Amino acid sequence: MEFDLIARIRDRAASRGDVVLGIGDDAALLQPPAGTLLVVAMDTLNSGVHFPPETAPADIGWKALAVNLSDLAAMGALPAWCTLSLSLPDADATFVDGFLDGFLALAAQHDVALVGGDTTRGPLSVCVTVHGLVEPGMAMCRDGARVGDDIWVSGSLGDAAAALAQWKSNGDVDAALRARLDRPTPRVALGRALRGIASACIDVSDGLLADLGHVCSASGVGALVDVDALPASDALRATFDSEPRRQLQATGGDDYELCFSAPAAAQAAVLAGALQAGVAVTRIGRLDARGGVATLTSAGADWRAPTPGWQHFAA
Ligand code: ADP
Ligand code: MG
C-alpha cells in the first residue's frame, strides 16, 4: 500500500542541485557546501493535539513544514532539505495529495527539497526533519542574550491561540485568525537578516512568555516585558477585548513569530534587517539581571499571566 503513496510523493517532490540522490533508495545523499554547518530540526504534529482533527489536509501539510522551517529561522539558517515521516490510519491517496499541496507549496517558496521519509500505518501523525545551512559562528542561539539588550518580536502575537479559543467554544472562527493557526508563516528571511545582529533568538511556538523564559534561563538573564507593547493584528483587536487579548498575546502558542534580543546600539540594524525581510518588528521590553520574565502594563501596573503557556505534558 505505501509504495503507491511513496510513488505519488516522489513524483511531485522537487529536487535541487545539491541533492545527489533523493527519494527511492535506502537513504538520501546530500552535498552541503564546504565550510558550512548543517542545522537540523525536527517537529511532530499529532492529530487532535497540534491541529484540530478536521483540519484540511493541505493545511496540515503546510503547517508540518512551517513549524520546522520556523526552527531553522530562529537559528538564522537557510533551509535546504527535509524528510517526512507520515503515519496514516489508511492508504488514503486523496489525503496524501491534499497534504502534498500544502507541504510542497511551502517547500517551493523556500527552495526546500523533500529527499526522503517513511510511510507507516497508525494514528494520523506527521513528523518532519528539516536540514539547513549556516556559516560557523553565525547561528543565533538561546544563550547569547545579555543584560540591557532590547527584546523584539516579529509580526503579531495571539492570532493562532485566538482561532483555537474560538474553535473550542464552538463559535465562528474568524477567517484571518484561522489562517494564522492553519498556515503560519515561518520568518526565514528575518532570521537570515538578523545574523550578526541579534544576540539570541527563539521562535514563539509555546507562547511568548514561555519561549522568552527559555532564552532567559539559557542566557542567565531576566526580562521585563510591556504587555501593552505586544503587537496585535487588526483581526485580534476586532475580536477580543484588551484583557483576553493580552493573555492570548502573552501566552498563546502556535504564532511562529521570532522573539529575539539585540543590544540597544543595534536598533537601526534590527529595523533595517526587518525592512529588508519585509516583516514588522516591535520592541517589547528589555533584559535585566533579576531572573525570570516580569510583565507590566503600559501604565506600570504588575500584570500576571493566568498560565505561562503551552505545556506538552500538562494534565
Ligand atoms: P526502507 O524500507 O528502506 O525504509 P521505504 O519503503 O520506507 O524504504 O522508503 C523507500 C524510499 O521512499 C526511501 O527513499 C524513503 O526515503 C522514501 N520515502 C518513504 N516514505 C516517504 C515519505 N513519506 N516522504 C518522502 N519520502 C519517503
Ligand atoms: Mg522506511
Side-chain angles (χ1 to χ4, degrees):
M1 74 114 181
E2 73 264 30
F3 297 111
D4 292 348
L5 296 182
I6 295 170
R8 285 182 115 78
I9 296 170
R10 190 189 52 222
D11 289 349
R12 290 183 60 185
S15 192
R16 334 185 332 148
D18 52 12
V19 178
V20 178
L21 187 59
I23 296 172
D25 212 304
D26 291 316
L29 298 175
L30 310 170
Q31 180 65 70
T36 59
L37 295 181
L38 195 54
V39 186
V40 181
M42 171 192 272
D43 257 320
T44 301
L45 300 189
N46 291 321
S47 180
V49 179
H50 300 99
F51 56 86
E54 81 269 21
T55 305
D59 291 335
I60 298 171
W62 176 284
K63 189 165 182 174
L65 183 58
V67 301
N68 277 280
L69 294 179
S70 178
D71 283 324
L72 292 188
M75 300 300 290
L78 184 66
W81 313 295
C82 66
T83 52
L84 165 64
S85 175
L86 269 180
S87 166
L88 302 171
D90 46 75
D92 182 348
T94 310
F95 177 91
V96 170
D97 287 344
F99 179 92
L100 290 173
D101 289 342
F103 189 95
L104 295 176
L106 183 60
Q109 278 187 18
H110 292 277
D111 191 23
V112 170
L114 174 61
V115 298
D118 202 17
T119 307
T120 56
R121 194 187 292 271
L124 178 57
S125 175
V126 185
C127 180
V128 174
T129 303
V130 284
H131 304 77
L133 302 165
V134 77
E135 306 81 354
M138 295 299 277
M140 301 185 290
C141 301
R142 296 181 182 185
D143 63 0
R146 295 294 172 258
V147 171
D149 285 356
D150 291 325
I151 309 165
W152 298 81
V153 71
S154 66
S156 66
L157 296 172
D159 287 355
L164 205 56
Q166 289 180 336
W167 176 74
K168 280 184 177 159
S169 68
N170 296 312
D172 288 336
V173 181
D174 180 274
L177 299 178
R178 180 86 203 211
R180 291 291 308 273
L181 177 67
D182 288 339
R183 296 225 168 195
T185 305
R187 303 299 190 189
V188 173
L190 180 63
R192 297 294 288 161
L194 291 173
R195 280 172 303 151
I197 299 171
S199 51
C201 187
I202 193 168
D203 68 320
V204 180
S205 54
D206 294 344
L208 174 76
L209 297 184
D211 290 317
L212 178 56
H214 297 322
V215 171
C216 286
S217 21
S219 297
V221 299
L224 185 59
V225 171
D226 175 355
V227 278
D228 292 320
L230 303 182
S233 69
D234 292 340
L236 188 67
R237 283 186 196 288
T239 45
F240 285 85
D241 291 337
S242 61
E243 184 50 30
R245 193 168 67 223
R246 280 174 181 152
Q247 292 176 16
L248 290 166
Q249 292 180 277
T251 68
D254 263 3
D255 285 316
Y256 302 101
E257 297 293 354
L258 295 184
C259 175
F260 57 97
S261 57
Q267 250 189 53
V270 167
L271 294 171
L275 195 66
Q276 182 200 325
V279 190
V281 292
T282 306
R283 210 171 62 81
I284 60 168
R286 177 153 295 170
L287 297 174
D288 58 36
R290 286 185 300 183
V293 180
T295 36
L296 293 180
T297 67
S298 56
D302 262 327
W303 183 86
R304 199 143 302 171
T307 61
W310 172 255
Q311 288 169 347
H312 294 273
F313 291 100

